[in-house]
Amino acid sequence: MTEPRDLAFERLLEFVRDARGFDFTGYKRPSLMRRLQRRMESVGLETYDEYRTYLEGEPDEFVDLFNSILINVTAFFRDSEAWEFLGQEVIPQLLENAPRGSQLRLWSAGCSSGEEAYTMAMLFAHALGDDEFRNRIKIYATDVDEEALAQARQATYTQKQVSAVPPDLRERYFQPVDHGYVLRGELRRCVIFGRNDLLQDAPISRVDLLVSRNTLMYFEPDAQRRILSNFAFALKRRGFLMVGKAEALQSRTDLFEPFDLKRRVFVRNPGAELPMRERPAVPRLEPETDEVEGGSLTAAAFEQAPVAEVVVDPTGRVAALNHGARLMFGLKQEDLGRRLRDLELSYRPIDLPSSIEQTAAEGRAVRIPDVAWPSRNGDRSLDVQVSPLVSSSGEPLGVSVSFTDVTRFRGLQDDLETARRSLETAYEELQSTVEELETTNEELQSTNEELETTNEELQSTNEELETMNEELQSTNEELETMNDELRERTDEVLRTSAFLSSILANIHQAVIVVDRQLRVAAWSRPAADLWGLRADEAEGENFLNLDIGLPVGELRTAIRAVLTGDEPEDLVVHGHNRRGQPVVCTVSFTPLRTFRDDVEGAILVMSAEREDAAV
Ligand SMILES: C[S@@+](CC[C@H](N)C(=O)[O-])C[C@H]1O[C@@H](n2cnc3c(N)ncnc32)[C@H](O)[C@@H]1O
């Protein structure tokens, strides 16, 4: 199941290599896969094929992909023990081996954002003193990652980044700037940064000390082998190589001898046979001084000039052709002496005879820019210049026609234009982001105001509740007071009632109290004994409706009279007591008055005697 997945992965690497010339096929697979997975996750894709299609449609994704794969972790004096060793053992040895006053060439390969190269610079400056350092040390610092190189060229670091630099060196070689530190110019100028792909580009040559830490470890053993033989080519006899503490030279131990295994410092083995390879290409950073052999210097210079050049004499015949012209237009040595108009060159890529005429007429060089030239390597763009040639005495000798290939320059111009447009787009995006931020800010402001209002409302509601609470408390207190008063009154009433009940109970005559509606309000115990009706049966009933041994109707007039405020005479009525015995009953009537002297009812007091006893 893993096989097809790996194939898809390899296809993806090949696609990246072919589309962008960036060859990751030499990198260790597990780490490469992890980095790629992360990238795919962040764009929401699952398979390598999907991601490849995505890359085809989104060229900008390449930048993110490279950033994700090229791990730029670095630091000043990273693994300080190794740098201490370099300062104390390797640098003195190097200086001792080198002829007095000679230049030393150092190379930091995989320099990331420059900390490694600047660490070397500080150590050498410290060992040599500023003047000698400036005159003798040249540090080449290379990486494949352009963004990291751009950072390195700035030489500006944060406080945290420079905190690893020993305080005395920091004091001496860094200047504080806004939010950090910048390396002093005299040190910065001795370091030359450039892009160099360790897998594809030629190494720097004649190097005395090569530091390449924590870079080899990203490559497969095969790729490591290739890089190490390039390093061997790069180093001078007995030149030093320092790698990272986790890195070993594995199969290439024949090319290097350990100088200190623990600190991973090696010396190029002078006896080792370097594998056959082409002479190291001219390093990109610094042109090598080639010596030209044989022939006249001028003729050789003309022949090797980087632009194609043709010389035409005053009779219109080809007087000279250089290598570039032969290569570009397929001309041959035999074409020398032929009339220009007989050659294809006279009308392709431009109409040369008319430009030559114009030059002769105006006596000055004529330039024809941006001439299209289809070649085997694709469409090229040429700048053609026709210049008059005159002798020292001012006599016309002919014209020189030069064809300068400006395709790369045009490409750069296009790139510049694209970059300018991207910058504009980025600026517009920034602008719109700023506007969005402002809107968001305003919204936040208004939300904040709303919240403040709500808060105020809550505050006032709270205050209201607090007030209500206090009001309730006070009402409660009032109620409690009233309650106390009521309780006292009730006690009083109960006492009075008990007092009255006791009086009523102790009067031997029957006492009956009726209200204004003639309802029985009080019925004393002697009344109950006399008429055989209990108080609870009598009270509340209309007195005139009571079914007792007394002819109550006979009392009606007298009761009414009492209720109107009169005081009627006592009445004597005949009736029967509870045992049915005939009795003579004397009833006296008294009004029941309120404290305001209103008549509220009538008090009837009855004394009865048995009739037979009365006879
Ligand atoms: C982990 S950093 C090491 C930085 C520094 N040498 C150190 O040890 O602190 C690895 C560096 O190797 C660079 N690199 C990766 N592939 C490379 C290649 N093919 N050629 C040159 N540099 C490469 C990366 O861009 C990165 O900056």
Side-chain angles (χ1 to χ4, degrees):
M1 280 306 281
T2 57
E3 191 58 16
R5 189 179 166 82
D6 287 349
L7 279 179
F9 182 72
E10 298 305 321
R11 265 201 305 278
L12 175 60
L13 294 187
E14 279 160 21
F15 166 74
V16 173
R17 184 192 56 202
D18 298 342
R20 286 298 165 108
F22 215 114
D23 192 359
F24 285 118
T25 54
Y27 287 63
K28 281 189 186 147
R29 292 299 182 273
S31 136
L32 204 54
M33 281 178 166
R34 277 197 301 274
R35 311 299 295 177
L36 250 146
Q37 281 294 343
R38 274 181 51 171
R39 205 49 236 143
M40 283 161 52
E41 267 164 32
S42 62
V43 291
L45 297 175
E46 282 182 3
T47 68
Y48 296 122
D49 283 337
E50 279 171 0
Y51 187 61
R52 188 161 54 99
T53 314
Y54 181 75
L55 276 170
E56 281 168 353
E58 298 280 340
D60 288 351
E61 172 61 16
F62 278 103
V63 179
D64 293 326
L65 173 65
F66 295 162
N67 278 339
S68 169
I69 293 180
L70 299 173
I71 298 166
N72 297 125
V73 178
T74 186
F76 287 107
F77 292 91
R78 186 173 176 192
D79 307 322
S80 55
E81 203 195 325
W83 292 104
E84 225 168 85
F85 181 77
L86 195 91
Q88 285 170 6
E89 304 292 333
V90 180
I91 294 180
Q93 173 94 54
L94 257 174
L95 296 176
E96 200 183 303
N97 292 352
R100 275 191 83 215
S102 65
Q103 207 184 51
L104 289 171
R105 292 159 62 89
L106 322 177
W107 181 15
S108 159
C111 65
S112 188
S113 42
E115 285 88 330
E116 184 177 272
Y118 292 136
T119 301
M120 288 161 84
M122 279 185 269
L123 287 176
F124 274 87
H126 185 65
L128 289 170
D130 289 351
D131 283 344
E132 206 179 339
F133 169 76
R134 211 177 16 255
N135 293 331
R136 292 188 62 190
I137 302 298
K138 190 140 269 184
I139 304 176
Y140 300 95
T142 63
D143 201 288
V144 80
D145 187 342
E146 291 280 12
E147 272 183 30
L149 287 171
Q151 256 178 284
R153 288 188 182 102
Q154 299 275 325
T156 307
Y157 298 95
T158 62
Q159 174 136 24
K160 189 165 173 245
Q161 284 170 314
V162 295
S163 65
V165 180
D168 55 327
L169 297 182
R170 189 168 59 217
E171 179 77 9
R172 200 160 145 202
Y173 298 118
F174 282 94
Q175 254 177 312
V177 285
D178 277 354
H179 314 301
Y181 289 84
V182 65
L183 194 84
R184 288 191 184 277
E186 57 267 30
L187 223 65
R188 165 69 190 85
R189 278 191 288 277
C190 293
V191 186
I192 302 157
F193 289 98
R195 185 180 184 279
N196 181 288
D197 184 342
L198 291 175
L199 283 176
Q200 299 187 52
D201 295 329
I204 309 283
S205 60
R206 293 177 285 120
V207 174
D208 295 280
L209 167 65
L210 200 171
V211 176
S212 182
R213 312 190 70 235
N214 310 302
T215 302
L216 271 180
M217 61 189 184
Y218 287 101
F219 298 99
E220 296 272 17
D222 241 13
Q224 282 194 19
R225 244 192 302 277
R226 267 188 289 145
I227 294 173
L228 282 171
S229 39
N230 275 353
F231 283 176
F233 270 113
L235 282 170
K236 280 186 189 162
R237 263 173 67 85
R238 310 294 304 166
F240 285 89
L241 168 69
M242 176 156 99
V243 294
K245 73 170 180 211
E247 292 165 324
L249 301 196
Q250 292 179 348
S251 51
R252 298 314 343 230
T253 42
D254 54 323
L255 297 178
F256 300 93
E257 285 171 1
F259 182 74
D260 185 290
L261 253 187
K262 190 170 167 224
R263 276 67 167 231
R264 298 286 190 270
V265 179
F266 301 85
V267 182
R268 193 189 124 183
N269 180 359
E273 251 183 54
L274 295 185
M276 286 296 289
R277 62 165 277 141
E278 283 189 15
R279 189 172 68 93
V282 179
R284 286 184 177 199
L285 304 170
E286 204 188 38
E288 279 187 352
T289 51
D290 277 331
E291 271 184 24
V292 181
E293 283 169 23
S296 99
L297 198 61
T298 323
F302 174 74
E303 173 66 10
Q304 291 300 327
V307 295
E309 212 170 333
V310 176
V311 178
V312 182
D313 69 13
T315 67
R317 288 177 193 279
V318 178
L321 292 167
N322 75 352
H323 175 71
R326 289 198 295 280
L327 208 67
M328 193 176 281
F329 303 113
L331 294 169
K332 301 195 189 65
Q333 208 60 27
E334 297 86 76
D335 291 325
L336 280 175
R338 287 182 65 188
R339 293 153 72 95
L340 177 69
R341 94 158 78 96
D342 297 338
L343 301 176
E344 191 185 341
L345 180 65
S346 68
Y347 57 90
R348 260 164 59 98
I350 58 158
D351 177 15
L352 261 187
S354 56
S355 300
I356 293 175
E357 262 172 42
Q358 190 188 343
T359 309
E362 296 175 6
R364 62 172 187 85
V366 171
R367 188 170 158 260
I368 305 103
D370 271 341
V371 175
W373 175 245
S375 79
R376 264 181 306 151
N377 302 330
D379 289 347
R380 318 295 299 172
S381 179
L382 306 177
D383 264 9
V384 182
Q385 179 155 322
V386 184
S387 316
L389 300 173
V390 286
S391 70
S392 50
S393 58
E395 261 179 56
L397 296 175
V399 289
S400 123
V401 188
S402 62
F403 303 84
T404 311
D405 187 344
V406 291
T407 316
R408 199 163 148 261
F409 172 67
R410 287 276 156 265
L412 284 175
Q413 249 183 351
D414 290 347
D415 286 352
L416 194 69
E417 183 56 22
T418 317
R420 201 184 53 74
R421 267 194 241 116
S422 317
L423 198 69
E424 266 173 19
T425 318
Y427 180 76
E428 276 167 18
E429 277 170 12
L430 190 73
Q431 190 70 16
S432 98
T433 310
V434 167
E435 279 166 17
E436 260 173 44
L437 266 175
E438 272 173 11
T439 318
T440 313
N441 208 11
E442 276 170 19
E443 282 170 12
L444 276 174
Q445 182 83 11
S446 101
T447 311
N448 197 23
E449 279 166 15
E450 270 171 34
L451 277 173
E452 271 176 17
T453 317
T454 314
N455 197 22
E456 275 170 21
E457 283 170 12
L458 276 173
Q459 180 73 18
S460 91
T461 312
N462 201 21
E463 282 169 11
E464 225 170 278
L465 281 173
E466 191 61 41
T467 324
M468 281 167 68
N469 194 25
E470 287 188 359
E471 281 169 21
L472 278 173
Q473 260 183 23
S474 112
T475 312
N476 202 22
E477 280 167 17
E478 276 169 27
L479 280 173
E480 273 178 9
T481 317
M482 283 168 68
N483 210 13
D484 287 346
E485 280 174 16
L486 251 165
R487 201 176 303 117
E488 272 174 32
R489 291 260 180 86
T490 311
D491 286 351
E492 214 172 287
V493 167
L494 283 176
R495 271 198 307 275
T496 313
S497 172
F499 176 68
L500 285 174
S501 300
S502 154
I503 292 173
L504 280 180
N506 288 305
I507 294 174
H508 290 300
Q509 287 143 317
V511 178
I512 297 165
V513 180
V514 295
D515 63 14
R516 291 190 68 84
Q517 281 76 38
L518 305 188
R519 279 191 302 258
V520 177
W523 186 270
S524 72
R525 203 182 316 133
D529 289 342
L530 181 61
W531 304 118
L533 196 68
R534 290 194 316 269
D536 61 319
E537 291 167 334
E539 280 169 5
E541 299 295 326
N542 191 310
F543 177 71
L544 298 180
N545 293 340
L546 290 180
D547 183 19
I548 52 176
L550 185 71
V552 287
E554 292 178 25
L555 305 182
R556 179 192 305 266
T557 314
I559 294 171
R560 294 258 185 246
V562 173
L563 291 177
T564 55
D566 288 348
E567 291 206 6
E569 296 279 312
D570 292 354
L571 276 182
V572 176
V573 283
H574 295 270
H576 295 87
N577 65 10
R578 69 180 159 101
R579 291 194 185 90
Q581 295 161 335
V583 289
V584 180
C585 186
T586 310
V587 184
S588 62
F589 302 90
T590 322
L592 175 70
R593 289 184 185 277
T594 66
F595 64 100
R596 281 200 202 91
D597 215 23
D598 296 332
V599 178
E600 190 170 62
I603 304 166
L604 284 65
V605 180
M606 302 173 183
S607 49
E609 277 181 26
R610 287 196 26 201
E611 254 188 53
D612 46 357
V615 173

